[in-house]
Amino acid sequence: MALNSRRDAPEPPDFSLLKRLARDQLIYLLEQLPGKKDLFIEADLMSPLDRIANVSTLKQHEVDKLYKLENKPIVSTCDQLCFLIRPRIHSVKWIADIVNTDKAAGRFRRYKIIFSPQKFYACETILEEQGIYGDVSCDKWEFYLLPLDDDIISLELPEFFRDYFLEGDQRWVSTAGKALHLLHSVYGPFSKVYGIGRCAKMTYEMWRELVEDGEQKPRQPEVGNVFLIDRDVDFVTSLCSQVVYEGLVDDIFRIKCGDVEFGPEVTSSDKSLKVMLNSSDKVFNEIRNEHFSNVFGFLSQKAKSLQTAYDKRRGMDIQQMKTFVSQELKGLKQEHRLLSLHISACESIMKKKTKQDFQELLKTEHCLLEGFNIRESISYIEEHINRQVSLTESLRLLCLLSLTENGLIPKDYRSLKAQYLQSYGTEHLLTFANLRKLGLLVEQQPGDTIIAMENKVGKLVTDKAVGKLTDAFNSLAKKSNFRALSKKLALIPKVDGEYDLCTPPDMAYIFSGAYMPLSCKLVEQVLDRGWTGLEEVTRLLNGNEFSVTAGGSGGEVKTKHDSQRLVFVMFLGGCTFSEISALRFLGRERGYKFIIVTTAITNSARLLESVLGSRV
């Protein structure tokens, strides 16, 4: 399945401008501390910084040595120290300790703190409390957006999900609003803004305030429409096993800031290799959105075509050979190297997934999504927990069960929770509290008549009989929102025979034809007709939907056809590679070009790790 854009899908804008803007601002801030200086960089800013300004660029602006910010005494002997950090209290306290240690030793240095993407009042308060507010200069690097590819832009804020959706901390909402404002300033004005979710609404309102406060210049837009969506609108999609190639690479090897580090098992050497995964990798670009079952076939064909290209050398005269070596050989060698890497990566994925009995796992997931064989699925989850297969995988299955069944009946909830705590430790009591707060893993409330009846029956009959009666009573209980949404939006495809994964008919291919991602289906429906006719859907999703015709040069915006087919889809709380693949498929089918803007790339493991009770 080739997923190249259809002819009527416009080309994306040049997002390298965002990098240039960020680089120029960083250079300006570094030059505010003239002379030789050492730069301390917070760990999760190192990869994004490398994509914006490499070491040689920093050296040109008098950065002498670079250090990773670690919670230990520094070894720098430089008289000027610059700290590039996230606005986190523990980082500010660490810097305060350095300054106070220098003061106690009678050493004079100049200190500059650059907060990114913004500085918070709480951090400045810490500087005051530690008695060093007058000893350091503070600034902010408004680095809001990092282009990872020609259709993916990330805020690189993985903490956004936990901070907003679990802790209720709204500090990053202003960051999201400013990021949207930057996109509007450079690539807008937007003609239509759609959204759903409380955070989406707040982000939109923040952006509108910034637009109204700023100067608006009429111009031709490059992107016409925007869709904002909260992660908690669709938890199910983020918890399903990924089966497209890029998603599996992320699950197994972890893609970080657009890079992946392949270990010795892939590189066939004793060293690891860091590889950038984007559309410039010709081999990867052709398989990234493919269902994994198609990938080996494609790689085999690619190997044959490369061999044919190499074989052209035979029978060439000297001039032809010279042309071949200067124009084609280097590219062929690069493709051959990448092909070998991706073949080895596929083999490694196959080994790991076969070891985990991946097919049985997918079968259980599909049963949960479709609402079949729930009792058998619970037995599988219990076995998974008791065998201690994986802490996060067990949690993922529990959350999927809860979300698809609109919560667990009290008997099942208590039993599964007890088994999980026994297998993985009582420190996860807090994990269960966090999951309940998010609505990921909840117990059905026992006030319901049917549940009360089931509890009474449980005292009179054997456990085996209770299991059968539970399923019967459960089918009569209140329908889950997921089941109702699934029916309303036709998220479970009805296919005669086997689902065609080679030439898929819809976005459900990203989950082997079992389920169409709710988030992407909403985008499709809303772009077709707005929220009209989706009133019942939005009610089931707890509302907070909006559709606004933005101000500005309205006439110009409407007449620019290409811009109307370019759509920013902004995920607040993270999005998965599966969703990105689904939107690329939808764009190909409908002639849209979707630009995914996300607070971070996520997957089920990252999402659940962020709410673990034992998290440090």
Side-chain angles (χ1 to χ4, degrees):
M1 177 187 65
L3 286 179
N4 297 322
S5 295
R6 228 170 57 174
R7 283 184 183 176
D8 59 346
E11 288 297 310
D14 178 14
F15 293 119
S16 64
L17 179 58
L18 297 173
K19 287 185 182 181
R20 292 201 297 274
L21 288 170
R23 182 170 59 249
D24 290 349
Q25 191 193 13
L26 178 63
I27 289 167
Y28 172 78
L29 292 171
L30 290 173
E31 288 177 347
Q32 299 303 299
L33 194 64
K36 192 169 76 170
K37 52 196 158 280
D38 284 353
L39 180 62
F40 291 80
I41 309 164
E42 193 146 16
D44 59 355
L45 275 169
M46 293 190 87
S47 293
L49 177 63
D50 193 44
R51 301 286 291 261
I52 297 297
N54 56 27
V55 174
S56 61
T57 303
L58 297 173
K59 295 276 186 187
Q60 286 169 20
H61 297 279
E62 299 184 284
V63 172
D64 186 28
K65 293 177 182 174
L66 285 88
Y67 297 93
K68 180 180 176 182
L69 194 144
E70 295 174 303
N71 192 22
K72 60 183 184 183
I74 63 169
V75 292
S76 171
T77 56
C78 190
D79 289 334
Q80 297 196 116
L81 304 181
C82 188
F83 303 91
L84 181 60
I85 64 170
R86 294 290 193 201
R88 294 173 183 145
I89 287 172
H90 63 83
S91 298
V92 177
K93 283 184 175 178
W94 178 78
I95 294 168
D97 288 343
I98 290 169
V99 177
N100 283 324
T101 301
D102 282 352
K103 285 166 78 175
R107 172 153 198 184
F108 173 77
R109 297 201 237 211
R110 292 183 68 192
Y111 311 93
K112 184 178 184 68
I113 302 175
I114 301 174
F115 293 100
S116 178
Q118 60 192 88
K119 60 181 177 181
F120 295 131
Y121 174 72
C123 294
E124 294 183 313
T125 303
I126 295 296
L127 295 175
E128 284 186 29
E129 289 174 356
Q130 297 292 320
I132 64 159
Y133 190 78
D135 299 306
V136 300
S137 61
C138 294
D139 228 315
K140 59 181 177 181
W141 181 31
E142 295 174 317
F143 174 33
Y144 297 122
L145 296 163
L146 175 66
L148 298 179
D149 209 338
D150 59 12
D151 63 349
I152 306 174
I153 303 172
S154 175
L155 278 72
E156 289 300 300
L157 288 174
E159 62 261 58
F160 190 106
F161 176 77
R162 182 183 174 100
D163 286 354
Y164 179 83
F165 291 100
L166 179 62
E167 308 290 356
D169 187 338
Q170 298 176 6
R171 60 184 176 156
W172 296 119
V173 174
S174 63
T175 307
K178 287 171 183 173
L180 189 58
H181 184 245
L182 176 59
L183 290 172
H184 176 265
S185 302
V186 180
Y187 304 106
F190 309 138
S191 57
K192 272 276 191 183
V193 182
Y194 306 97
I196 185 162
R198 186 164 168 265
C199 186
K201 209 161 196 175
M202 291 168 68
T203 300
Y204 165 75
E205 286 164 0
M206 169 65 69
W207 166 68
R208 280 308 309 170
E209 284 179 23
L210 292 168
V211 170
E212 287 161 10
D213 290 346
E215 186 183 348
Q216 297 181 48
K217 295 178 181 177
R219 63 181 184 278
Q220 285 285 356
E222 292 185 68
V223 179
N225 297 310
V226 180
F227 193 103
L228 308 175
I229 185 167
D230 285 11
R231 182 69 274 168
D232 66 354
V233 166
D234 177 19
F235 276 137
V236 170
T237 298
S238 59
L239 291 172
C240 288
S241 290
Q242 303 197 84
V243 287
V244 292
Y245 180 65
E246 191 167 13
L248 278 167
V249 171
D250 186 39
D251 283 350
I252 302 295
F253 303 104
R254 294 237 170 173
I255 298 172
K256 185 180 178 184
C257 204
D259 295 328
V260 67
E261 191 165 317
F262 288 128
E265 74 278 12
V266 174
T267 60
S268 302
S269 67
D270 57 353
K271 292 181 180 178
S272 294
L273 180 66
K274 195 174 183 180
V275 179
M276 187 179 288
L277 295 179
N278 58 29
S279 52
S280 64
D281 178 339
K282 291 180 183 177
V283 177
F284 174 70
N285 194 45
E286 292 191 62
I287 60 174
R288 67 194 309 181
N289 304 304
E290 291 282 349
H291 188 277
F292 191 66
S293 61
N294 300 328
V295 173
F296 271 115
F298 170 82
L299 293 175
S300 175
Q301 284 296 113
K302 189 71 177 175
K304 287 175 185 174
S305 65
L306 273 178
Q307 189 57 52
T308 303
Y310 273 122
D311 289 344
K312 283 197 312 184
R313 295 174 299 175
R314 293 172 186 170
M316 286 183 177
D317 59 31
I318 293 173
Q319 187 57 44
Q320 288 171 328
M321 183 63 77
K322 190 176 177 182
T323 305
F324 175 79
V325 169
S326 63
Q327 294 181 6
E328 295 181 51
L329 188 60
K330 187 178 178 182
L332 288 172
K333 282 185 174 179
Q334 172 72 352
E335 272 195 72
H336 187 269
R337 185 183 70 84
L338 292 169
L339 182 64
S340 298
L341 266 179
H342 290 297
I343 289 172
S344 298
C346 283
E347 288 170 345
S348 182
I349 289 168
M350 281 288 287
K351 282 178 191 172
K352 288 176 183 176
K353 291 301 179 184
T354 304
K355 192 177 177 182
Q356 294 171 3
D357 201 1
F358 195 48
Q359 290 306 316
E360 192 63 31
L361 180 68
L362 288 180
K363 183 183 168 186
T364 301
E365 279 184 37
H366 295 173
C367 285
L368 292 175
L369 292 166
E370 294 169 23
F372 296 139
N373 302 326
I374 299 303
R375 207 28 66 186
E376 286 87 336
S377 298
I378 290 173
S379 297
Y380 176 86
I381 295 169
E382 286 178 325
E383 184 187 349
H384 201 277
I385 292 168
N386 295 328
R387 283 170 50 211
Q388 297 181 332
V389 176
S390 163
L391 184 151
T392 51
E393 278 288 285
S394 295
L395 263 191
R396 183 176 72 81
L397 290 170
L398 284 173
C399 291
L400 263 182
L401 174 64
S402 175
L403 289 165
T404 54
E405 290 298 300
N406 198 30
L408 305 181
I409 60 171
K411 176 179 172 293
D412 285 339
Y413 181 85
R414 288 193 295 269
S415 171
L416 289 164
K417 180 179 177 182
Q419 290 177 69
Y420 189 91
L421 295 175
Q422 191 172 13
S423 285
Y424 297 113
T426 52
E427 66 269 24
H428 290 292
L429 276 166
L430 181 54
T431 300
F432 276 82
N434 289 343
L435 293 170
R436 184 173 66 248
K437 191 174 178 182
L438 285 163
L440 279 168
L441 182 53
V442 298
E443 181 182 2
Q444 288 177 0
Q445 294 307 304
D448 189 76
T449 310
I450 293 166
I451 294 171
M453 193 188 302
E454 187 262 330
N455 287 339
K456 288 178 184 177
V457 170
K459 294 174 184 175
L460 302 172
V461 296
T462 64
D463 280 349
K464 192 173 181 181
V466 168
K468 292 178 181 176
L469 285 161
T470 295
D471 276 350
F473 286 128
N474 221 24
S475 66
L476 297 170
K478 180 186 172 187
K479 294 286 183 185
S480 78
N481 285 358
F482 176 77
R483 294 272 173 262
L485 286 164
S486 180
K487 192 174 178 181
K488 286 273 178 193
L489 294 169
L491 299 180
I492 310 297
K494 292 178 182 177
V495 182
D496 294 328
E498 217 169 293
Y499 188 92
D500 187 351
L501 291 169
C502 292
T503 53
D506 52 42
M507 293 183 284
Y509 88 92
I510 66 163
F511 295 124
S512 305
Y515 163 68
M516 213 174 297
L518 170 60
S519 54
C520 303
K521 188 69 175 177
L522 280 174
V523 172
E524 178 190 31
Q525 294 285 305
V526 172
L527 285 176
D528 277 352
R529 52 178 169 163
W531 292 108
T532 308
L534 294 172
E535 290 81 9
E536 181 63 15
V537 169
T538 56
R539 186 187 67 78
L540 292 165
L541 291 170
N542 300 318
N544 285 309
E545 79 284 357
F546 58 92
S547 173
V548 185
T549 302
S553 51
E556 267 190 326
V557 174
K558 287 173 186 173
T559 55
K560 188 96 164 71
H561 172 73
D562 273 4
S563 71
Q564 297 308 294
R565 307 201 74 73
L566 272 160
V567 184
F568 281 129
V569 181
M570 189 174 195
F571 287 86
L572 297 155
C575 100
T576 66
F577 281 115
S578 293
E579 287 168 308
I580 293 171
S581 291
L583 288 172
R584 284 173 180 151
F585 177 91
L586 181 62
R588 182 180 74 93
E589 292 295 298
R590 299 294 185 89
Y592 283 107
K593 182 67 179 180
F594 291 104
I595 312 298
I596 290 84
V597 184
T598 179
T599 50
I601 298 292
T602 193
N603 58 24
S604 58
R606 288 194 194 101
L607 188 143
L608 292 170
E609 283 166 7
S610 72
V611 299
L612 289 178
S614 58
R615 181 173 176 262
V616 179

